[in-house]
Amino acid sequence: MSVLKVIQQMSLGMVTWNVKLEVFQKTLQEQVVLVNNNVVIHMRMRLEEYNLVTNFLILSGTQMILTTTDSDEEENDKESYGSFPTFSMPKSMDQYKWEVGTYFTEKKEFIEIIRTYALANGKNLIFDRNDKNKVTVKCAGAKGKCNWYAYCAYMSAMKSWQLRKIIDEHSCSRDFNVKLVNAKWLSKKMEKTVRENPHMKVMDFRDKVSRKWNVCISRNMAFRAKVIARDDVDGSFTEQYRRIYNYAHELLRGNPSSIVKVKVKNIDGEVIFSRFYACLKACKDSFVACRPIIGVDGFFLKGKYGGELLTTVGRDDNDQSLPIAFVVAKVENKDSWRWFLELLIDNLGGDAVGASCTFISDQQKGLLQAIQELLPGVDKRYCV
Ligand SMILES: [Zn+2]
């Protein structure tokens, strides 16, 4: 579209344009950036045209953003006028339209978004420049002929990053080899998968990545990403066990009168986690209104340290499940069930209450013996 055509449209009131004028000081060339419904047009123009546009814009009261930029958009980056949106992540970055002026809270966020965008659209973007104040991104698609370009800079007055320039048009086709994907980034994106399935095979990991984002990654990268994700997941497990006392205190702070127990073993001066029990007051109080039935079950925990989660649930008047208490133990056996049930019966009001309940179970290892020992003759039912 020619400059005159644009002016004509503007003067006829056909299109509302937000206009950003850029002056290339060194080359004394002017450029107009016209933004309309996320369509961005960059135009170099002759001085007469530039003056014409400027005058028209001033007269028509169009929102105008005047910026001064030097020939390679580096120095003298003056702040913009006007208000611009702050980036918010859409459901999908597929076909995302970039908007000049958009703010990003930090550089890391912008870079992350560029990666997500590159992957969602299969675009081989590369960071051309990436330093303290500026990031420029190019598209290496169409054998380097694609014009797509983004320039984001730190705006000290706003204390945030702003998309200063965007040429949001690709002439390239979808690329399955997106270089911005690296092992570190992938490991973060795949952490949940690895947490749930720590023994996943490298090939399955790779298949999952290619199905999810439609990109190819090397076996080597899949391997490295999996290792990083595993380390992060394991590290977070270790950290979580290390802070189990904090967790217990937090549960008690948020739920006064609840019962929380942490059992540890002391081996050669080292404190080792053994069991964890929690019965929140609200759950305990609600059990009074439930039928005198207690469902008991155990599950394997995934993750580095494994272990088992033992639970008890009640049934309320609306036939809804009510968690009563739970235990995390290393293994499910008579000893761990006994420890759990002893605490539970005590919390619910003692042997008399316990004996009046019916216990439903799947005949877990050691459970029946534990119940028999604690509450001889109590009603027991089995799940089918
Ligand atoms: Zn492109």
Side-chain angles (χ1 to χ4, degrees):
M1 204 184 310
S2 75
V3 177
L4 287 171
K5 180 104 188 187
V6 170
I7 294 174
Q8 199 183 15
Q9 281 197 0
M10 287 193 291
S11 57
L12 290 170
M14 284 160 70
V15 190
T16 321
W17 296 90
N18 287 330
V19 179
K20 179 177 163 184
L21 298 173
E22 285 180 349
V23 183
F24 287 73
Q25 283 188 327
K26 276 185 194 159
T27 53
L28 287 175
Q29 270 187 299
E30 290 81 23
Q31 169 163 279
V32 168
V33 185
L34 300 153
V35 189
N36 173 48
N37 289 335
N38 299 334
V39 178
V40 180
I41 302 171
H42 291 254
M43 268 181 290
R44 296 235 159 168
M45 50 179 76
R46 296 193 305 275
L47 193 61
E48 314 87 83
E49 289 176 319
Y50 173 77
N51 288 337
L52 191 62
V53 172
T54 322
N55 285 336
F56 172 79
L57 293 169
I58 292 166
L59 285 171
S60 67
T62 308
Q63 186 196 346
M64 196 160 63
I65 311 141
L66 285 168
T67 58
T68 323
T69 346
D70 76 354
S71 55
D72 51 358
E73 296 143 26
E74 302 299 329
E75 306 311 317
N76 303 326
D77 218 354
K78 298 256 170 64
E79 310 294 337
S80 302
Y81 299 96
S83 59
F84 291 98
T86 301
F87 181 85
S88 75
M89 188 57 114
K91 262 202 187 120
S92 157
M93 285 295 277
D94 198 13
Q95 308 288 319
Y96 178 76
K97 291 281 170 232
W98 297 88
E99 224 177 305
V100 166
T102 306
Y103 285 114
F104 301 86
T105 43
E106 48 180 349
K107 188 173 89 171
K108 228 170 77 188
E109 187 196 17
F110 177 70
I111 287 178
E112 181 73 1
I113 291 159
I114 286 284
R115 276 190 211 283
T116 314
Y117 168 82
L119 205 54
N121 296 280
K123 296 299 174 195
N124 198 5
L125 304 187
I126 45 173
F127 290 107
D128 198 28
R129 178 174 177 166
N130 181 356
D131 58 37
K132 223 170 81 216
N133 299 312
K134 290 166 177 89
V135 177
T136 59
V137 196
K138 285 200 305 199
C139 181
K143 296 194 173 119
K145 289 207 178 82
C146 181
N147 283 328
W148 192 95
Y149 174 83
Y151 164 55
C152 193
Y154 182 69
M155 298 287 117
S156 51
M158 304 298 289
K159 291 198 169 44
S160 67
W161 287 72
Q162 188 179 35
L163 187 64
R164 306 289 290 169
K165 185 175 173 184
I166 181 83
I167 303 174
D168 201 7
E169 247 171 65
H170 286 280
S171 56
C172 60
S173 50
R174 198 173 182 100
D175 200 326
F176 295 100
N177 180 20
V178 178
K179 290 207 179 64
L180 282 189
V181 177
N182 60 32
K184 178 105 192 83
W185 186 85
L186 257 189
S187 73
K188 281 270 161 284
K189 293 281 169 190
M190 294 293 286
E191 200 172 293
K192 189 166 169 267
T193 310
V194 172
R195 184 184 293 275
E196 283 163 6
N197 192 356
H199 303 295
M200 183 177 209
K201 289 201 178 86
V202 175
M203 291 316 275
D204 293 342
F205 184 94
R206 190 179 160 186
D207 283 353
K208 189 145 190 170
V209 169
S210 78
R211 270 203 311 277
K212 196 165 174 181
W213 290 289
N214 210 359
V215 289
C216 272
I217 56 163
S218 65
R219 199 180 175 283
N220 192 13
M221 190 194 287
F223 176 77
R224 276 180 294 131
K226 210 195 116 191
V227 169
I228 299 171
R230 268 283 290 276
D231 285 352
D232 287 348
V233 168
D234 289 354
S236 73
F237 271 118
T238 314
E239 177 64 14
Q240 282 175 36
Y241 274 104
R242 203 175 66 74
R243 298 191 59 191
I244 196 119
Y245 283 120
N246 295 5
Y247 176 62
H249 282 294
E250 188 54 29
L251 272 184
L252 288 172
R253 191 196 59 79
N255 306 275
S257 302
S258 297
I259 310 288
V260 179
K261 301 249 179 223
V262 180
K263 192 170 189 245
V264 294
K265 278 185 191 144
N266 203 321
I267 299 172
D268 299 332
E270 209 181 343
V271 179
I272 311 278
F273 173 80
S274 173
R275 286 171 197 162
F276 181 87
Y277 169 91
C279 177
L280 302 183
K281 183 169 189 296
C283 297
K284 186 184 81 174
D285 290 352
S286 305
F287 180 67
V288 178
C290 286
R291 302 171 193 182
I293 296 170
I294 298 177
V296 192
D297 210 349
F299 312 86
F300 289 105
L301 290 173
K302 290 175 176 175
K304 191 184 184 187
Y305 298 108
E308 286 192 52
L309 176 72
L310 314 180
T311 62
T312 46
V313 292
R315 284 248 154 206
D316 69 9
D317 284 346
N318 293 324
D319 227 13
Q320 304 289 313
S321 296
L322 170 86
I324 312 171
F326 70 90
V327 155
V328 175
K330 193 150 192 250
V331 282
E332 178 190 19
N333 57 22
K334 193 186 99 183
D335 198 40
S336 50
W337 276 118
R338 199 188 150 102
W339 185 75
F340 182 8
L341 294 174
E342 227 166 357
L343 286 166
L344 178 75
I345 292 163
D346 191 43
N347 289 169
L348 293 180
D351 288 356
V353 177
S356 68
C357 292
T358 300
F359 286 80
I360 302 181
S361 77
D362 222 351
Q363 306 188 49
Q364 271 82 16
K365 247 187 266 166
L367 173 64
L368 293 179
Q369 284 160 285
I371 295 178
Q372 194 56 42
E373 279 178 31
L374 291 167
L375 301 164
V378 76
D379 265 351
K380 297 182 280 291
R381 292 288 180 273
Y382 306 121
C383 300
V384 273

